[in-house]
Amino acid sequence: AQSVAQPEDQVNVAEGNPLTVKCTYSVSGNPYLFWYVQYPNRGLQFLLKYITGDNLVKGSYGFEAEFNKSQTSFHLKKPSALVSDSALYFCAVRDIGSGAGSYQLTFGKGTKLSVIP
Amino acid sequence: GAGVSQTPSNKVTEKGKYVELRCDPISGHTALYWYRQSLGQGPEFLIYFQGTGAADDSGLPNDRFFAVRPEGSVSTLKIQRTERGDSAVYLCASSSGGSSGDTQYFGPGTRLTVL
């Protein structure tokens, strides 16, 4: 079975400082990894994904994430946080070795990011 | 272009009643997914359609839940004999299909409250 852990329920960072939101995963096969952001009373918005290739993935709004196979991690990063980045962030994984189940996403519980002006 | 749309945005019902939740995917997307998000949790997979057929329904919690996609576009999630524990936000997503690496694009969700 696949799983995702987001060890921090909340991350606080000052505006202009770098931010990191942590994610680790567990799969039996190879992973596809995703980050989504959720603003209040809105659906999930796609930020970025790792499928194959370069371990450093760049996405929307200046976010990036690094796939680390040995540490089974996919931490989300941004060099300089904005107040408007404050939202709920979800990491998700697909286990591409699980047959028909490889299409379903398994999400973490989410990390609330607060950027303080 | 238009994204995934879901109706209604909110649904309040009484315990034991039947409800239907509708999802309109992005035009041309052949894959459609339903997830359920309880308060303070990440979305949990319910069912995945490729075209008209349910390719993976392993996430449906019990036989009170059923989903259809008769023409390969719009999908309806049906819940019979609703229970208070069914209260959650039901999210629909679509992707272009074919590859498990495809990005899933989510709708705004339907908030279901069972009294």
Side-chain angles (χ1 to χ4, degrees):
Chain A
Q2 58 210 49
S3 64
V4 173
Q6 293 182 242
E8 301 153 318
D9 291 338
Q10 178 147 357
V11 170
N12 297 322
V13 63
E15 186 177 24
N17 281 4
L19 69 87
T20 298
V21 182
K22 296 180 180 177
C23 171
T24 59
Y25 66 90
S26 175
V27 295
S28 57
N30 290 315
Y32 287 165
L33 293 152
F34 301 78
W35 276 101
Y36 286 85
V37 60
Q38 189 173 42
Y39 295 98
N41 299 315
R42 294 177 64 178
L44 293 165
Q45 294 181 28
F46 169 73
L47 279 179
L48 52 79
K49 67 182 179 183
Y50 171 79
I51 302 299
T52 187
D54 194 346
N55 289 344
L56 183 63
V57 178
K58 295 186 182 296
S60 307
Y61 313 118
F63 284 93
E64 59 188 29
E66 186 163 13
F67 170 61
N68 187 318
K69 188 172 183 178
S70 63
Q71 297 185 6
T72 62
S73 67
F74 190 56
H75 302 329
L76 182 70
K77 299 183 179 186
K78 187 173 182 180
S80 178
L82 300 173
V83 172
S84 57
D85 293 330
S86 298
L88 192 55
Y89 290 80
F90 289 96
C91 180
V93 68
R94 272 176 170 153
D95 183 351
I96 62 174
S98 59
S102 64
Y103 288 81
Q104 58 177 270
L105 287 171
T106 297
F107 285 85
K109 290 187 174 182
T111 299
K112 182 179 179 181
L113 173 67
S114 293
V115 181
I116 303 159
Chain B
V4 177
S5 62
Q6 294 185 245
T7 54
S9 55
N10 282 284
K11 176 70 176 178
V12 180
T13 191
E14 294 179 343
K15 181 176 178 296
K17 299 291 187 181
Y18 168 83
V19 297
E20 290 189 352
L21 312 178
R22 176 188 168 108
C23 172
D24 276 276
I26 293 171
S27 178
H29 279 190
T30 61
L32 185 146
Y33 312 78
W34 284 99
Y35 291 83
R36 178 169 70 174
Q37 186 175 19
S38 300
L39 194 62
Q41 302 295 319
E44 293 179 316
F45 170 80
L46 295 176
I47 187 169
Y48 153 56
F49 287 90
Q50 183 60 253
T52 60
D56 180 2
D57 65 358
S58 62
L60 294 178
N62 52 60
D63 61 6
R64 296 187 297 105
F65 288 75
F66 190 71
V68 295
R69 195 185 185 200
E71 297 179 357
S73 179
V74 170
S75 176
T76 304
L77 179 66
K78 308 180 180 194
I79 310 174
Q80 298 177 318
R81 304 183 304 280
T82 51
E83 299 177 357
R84 292 194 180 87
D86 298 335
S87 296
V89 176
Y90 289 80
L91 296 169
C92 176
S94 70
S95 69
S96 56
S99 168
S100 60
D102 292 342
T103 298
Q104 294 180 21
Y105 296 95
F106 284 79
T110 293
R111 183 176 299 277
L112 176 65
T113 303
V114 182
L115 302 177

